Amino acid sequence: MPSRPYAEYAQRNADPILEVLRQELRNCRDVLEIGSGTGQHAVRFAAELDHLRWQTSDLAENHEGIRTWIDEADLPNVDAPLVLDVATAALPPASYDAVFSSNTAHIMSFESVIAMFALVGSVIRPEGVFCLYGPFRQHGTFNTASNANFDADLRRRDPVMGIRDLEALDDLGVEQELRRTGLYAVPSNNMVAVWQKK
Ligand SMILES: C[S@@+](CC[C@H](N)C(=O)[O-])C[C@H]1O[C@@H](n2cnc3c(N)ncnc32)[C@H](O)[C@@H]1O
């Protein structure tokens, strides 16, 4: 069996994100995760939130790792990854009560962030929620010097990456009838932003 990919940060931030999802997804039956990455979050959250069906997804290059975590966890409520590139995606053939994504909005281009919100707006059911974890800027200001440095590092690596303005994401939400209903501060100067579909 291939060795599992492992991200230390995904292990560290799982508990605080889980506490938000426990609250926000308590009335949901299924969730689409965009950009499942290693697959660590999916198996941890699906194990703890066993009232949910957890649909993983990512670019094809990450699927082997995600499958390894899913196979080892052997949970009844987590599904093998869909190939999902938000920039080019045909819509997944389903709708969901919730969409979750972690540390993706600053990694993809802003055009892809626009496409991600459009996809969320299309697949999410009325009153469903979109929970997005990561660092954000608010009113043009970074919440810490370390996030300002992180943003500069990202943009040096690739000018299309960068920490997003929460207000710009709110505007994208409005176009999809997604209104922000929550904002949770979590450790490491990150947040979970929550938008609810009309
Ligand atoms: C920093 S990793 C975060 C992974 C995981 N969600 C986590 O928190 O550990 C960014 C993820 O976004 C995914 N990603 C980047 N561009 C994407 C796109 N256009 N569509 C879907 N996923 C994308 C990457 O493949 C990767 O899994």
Side-chain angles (χ1 to χ4, degrees):
M1 182 172 280
S3 64
R4 296 186 307 186
Y6 179 82
E8 178 57 37
Y9 76 85
Q11 211 60 24
R12 269 201 313 271
N13 64 25
D15 280 338
I17 297 174
L18 178 60
E19 288 322 303
V20 174
L21 297 185
R22 239 187 247 297
Q23 168 70 16
E24 291 290 338
L25 307 188
R26 66 191 183 285
N27 296 321
C28 297
R29 291 158 297 171
D30 46 21
V31 56
L32 170 68
E33 181 181 16
I34 297 176
S36 296
T38 60
Q40 281 164 266
H41 278 162
V43 299
R44 177 74 201 286
F45 298 157
E48 297 274 353
L49 305 171
D50 60 4
H51 63 289
L52 285 172
R53 253 215 106 69
W54 195 280
Q55 175 64 65
T56 57
S57 81
D58 208 320
L59 310 182
E61 66 208 38
N62 289 330
H63 283 208
E64 186 180 337
I66 297 168
R67 281 181 197 282
T68 309
W69 279 87
I70 291 176
D71 289 348
E72 281 190 25
D74 196 22
L75 296 166
N77 62 329
V78 58
D79 290 329
L82 301 173
V83 177
L84 183 53
D85 178 339
V86 295
T88 56
L91 290 178
S95 53
Y96 302 88
D97 287 337
V99 178
F100 168 70
S101 194
S102 159
N103 277 329
T104 49
H106 59 280
I107 297 296
M108 54 180 73
S109 68
F110 193 66
E111 284 68 31
S112 292
V113 176
I114 294 170
M116 177 161 72
F117 269 80
L119 185 133
V120 171
S122 303
V123 300
I124 209 163
R125 296 188 187 110
E127 299 188 25
V129 289
F130 176 33
C131 300
L132 180 64
Y133 167 86
F136 300 105
R137 235 164 45 153
Q138 285 180 284
H139 309 294
T141 307
F142 294 102
N143 53 0
T144 57
S146 66
N147 271 349
N149 291 336
F150 180 45
D151 179 70
D153 279 351
L154 287 168
R155 291 176 196 276
R156 259 193 302 274
R157 271 166 55 198
D158 185 339
V160 306
M161 298 200 288
I163 293 179
R164 307 302 170 195
D165 283 306
L166 200 52
E167 295 78 19
L169 302 184
D170 286 342
D171 289 344
L172 298 181
V174 168
E175 290 170 30
Q176 306 299 328
E177 300 190 312
L178 292 161
R179 186 177 65 85
R180 184 145 58 78
T181 52
L183 185 63
Y184 298 79
V186 288
S188 307
N189 311 309
N190 286 331
M191 298 179 204
V192 182
V194 181
W195 292 267
Q196 184 170 36
K197 180 84 171 175
K198 198 174 157 190

